[in-house]
């Protein structure tokens, strides 16, 4: 069957999350007087991301809820036994700095324009609908997507097949008619493939090393790949 729709990841796929996270954390550390606690902003970000991964895994396993994982990230990062309201306030102050640095990758809108007529589009994200719907609206691209499907509301996250299938159901299309584009080789591309979709790994950093996956290094390569529509049996051009 031909591919009729593209499902998109958001963070580090069309939205430059890493750049915004670094800029936001730098401003937040400075505003909170926490700069001296780390040798560099990069060191602080490494710690923040380790903590985020740890508590996201707890959320995915059902050990805490969405707000709980946020609060626990703050407590772990600051090393202080903050109350819920204090942790919420700390995170909200960080969010203000983070959101001030939001931007799309330069190749996102041109590719969405090129694919607008030939394909339907939707989002599947391991976040919350509140966060991602608002993010897309602030960035000016929410109207490009028929549906925004998120893990928090689903109760299941990528790479579980149920997450991908729920997004396909939102489009009323079978998995074999849907391609998924994301920056994580296992969670996104491999997960999509296991669920019966066509998985595409957006490897912006040129990491490589996954010959079993269809890989592109920039979104400008996506239209040509989709329009060949050969089930990507010859993806070596993009490896």
């Amino acid at each position: 069957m031909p591919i009729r729709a593209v499902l998109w990841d958001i963070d580090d796929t069309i939205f430059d999350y890493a750049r915004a996270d670094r800029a936001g954390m730098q401003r937040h550390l400075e505003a909170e007087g926490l700069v001296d606690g780390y040798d560099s902003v990069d060191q602080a970000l490494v710690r923040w991301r380790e903590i985020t991964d740890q508590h996201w895994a707890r959320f995915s396993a059902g050990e805490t809820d969405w707000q709980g994982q946020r609060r626990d990230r703050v407590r772990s990062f600051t090393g202080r036994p903050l109350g819920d309201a204090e942790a919420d306030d700390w995170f909200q102050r960080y969010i203000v700095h983070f959101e001030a640095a939001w931007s799309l990758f330069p190749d996102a809108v041109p590719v969405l324009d090129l694919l607008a007529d030939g394909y339907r589009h939707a989002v599947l994200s391991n976040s919350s609908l509140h966060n991602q719907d608002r993010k897309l609206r602030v960035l000016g691209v929410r109207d490009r997507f028929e549906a925004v499907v998120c893990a928090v509301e689903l109760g299941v996250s990528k790479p579980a097949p149920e997450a991908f299938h729920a997004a396909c159901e939102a489009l009323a299309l079978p998995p074999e008619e849907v391609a998924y584009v994301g920056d994580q080789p296992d969670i996104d591309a491999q997960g999509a493939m296991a669920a019966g979709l066509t998985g595409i790994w957006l490897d912006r950093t040129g990491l490589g090393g996954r010959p079993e996956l269809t890989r592109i290094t920039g979104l400008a390569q996506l239209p040509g790949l989709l329009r060949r529509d050969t089930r990507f049996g010859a993806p070596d051009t993009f490896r």
Side-chain angles (χ1 to χ4, degrees):
M1 294 184 183
I3 292 173
R4 302 187 185 279
V6 180
L7 270 176
W8 296 84
D9 177 48
I10 297 179
D11 295 342
D12 286 324
T13 297
I14 63 171
F15 164 62
D16 195 347
Y17 179 93
R19 189 197 65 80
D21 195 28
R22 188 185 192 284
M25 181 56 70
Q26 179 174 0
R27 294 167 188 165
H28 187 55
L29 290 175
E30 292 169 351
E32 297 289 311
L34 298 173
V35 175
D36 293 341
Y38 294 91
D39 293 336
S40 66
V41 174
D42 287 333
Q43 184 187 66
L45 272 177
V46 168
R47 178 61 179 148
W48 179 247
R49 288 168 183 161
E50 289 173 349
I51 288 168
T52 297
D53 290 344
Q54 172 191 345
H55 291 292
W56 180 264
R58 294 178 55 242
F59 168 72
S60 296
E63 297 173 9
T64 186
D65 59 16
W66 174 254
Q67 197 67 23
Q69 61 86 24
R70 280 191 164 187
R71 291 166 178 161
D72 290 341
R73 285 160 63 189
V74 174
R75 292 170 182 133
S76 296
F77 186 75
T78 61
R80 301 200 302 265
L82 301 175
D84 288 352
E86 292 175 301
D88 290 344
D89 288 344
W90 190 99
F91 199 93
Q92 188 55 45
R93 293 194 299 274
Y94 157 70
I95 287 292
V96 170
H97 297 295
F98 173 54
E99 291 186 359
W102 280 3
S103 66
L104 295 167
F105 282 104
D107 56 3
V109 169
V111 168
L112 287 169
D113 285 344
L114 285 171
L115 298 177
D117 292 336
Y119 302 89
R120 298 168 61 194
H121 299 270
V123 162
L124 173 61
S125 170
N126 271 3
S127 184
S128 72
L129 181 60
H130 171 78
N131 284 352
Q132 300 300 55
D133 187 85
R134 180 174 177 276
K135 185 182 293 177
L136 293 171
R137 292 182 189 280
V138 170
L139 294 169
V141 292
R142 175 60 184 87
D143 62 344
R144 306 294 188 110
F145 304 101
E146 293 184 30
V148 178
V149 179
C150 293
V152 171
E153 289 72 28
L154 283 178
V156 63
S157 58
K158 300 176 297 181
E162 293 85 355
F164 293 98
H165 293 164
C168 291
E169 289 171 9
L171 289 166
L173 289 175
E176 57 267 27
E177 294 186 7
V178 180
Y180 188 84
V181 182
D183 68 294
Q184 296 294 319
D186 294 314
I187 292 173
D188 293 327
Q190 188 67 52
M193 290 171 59
L197 291 75
T198 296
I200 303 170
W201 175 26
L202 176 59
D203 180 16
R204 288 191 181 275
T205 62
L207 181 64
R210 298 293 298 271
E212 77 278 15
L213 300 178
T214 297
R215 181 176 75 98
I216 58 176
T217 56
L219 290 179
Q221 297 168 344
L222 183 60
L225 185 64
L226 289 173
R227 285 168 180 159
R228 285 211 311 267
D229 203 11
T230 60
R231 229 24 49 168
F232 309 153
D236 46 289
T237 302
F238 305 100
R239 290 197 190 281

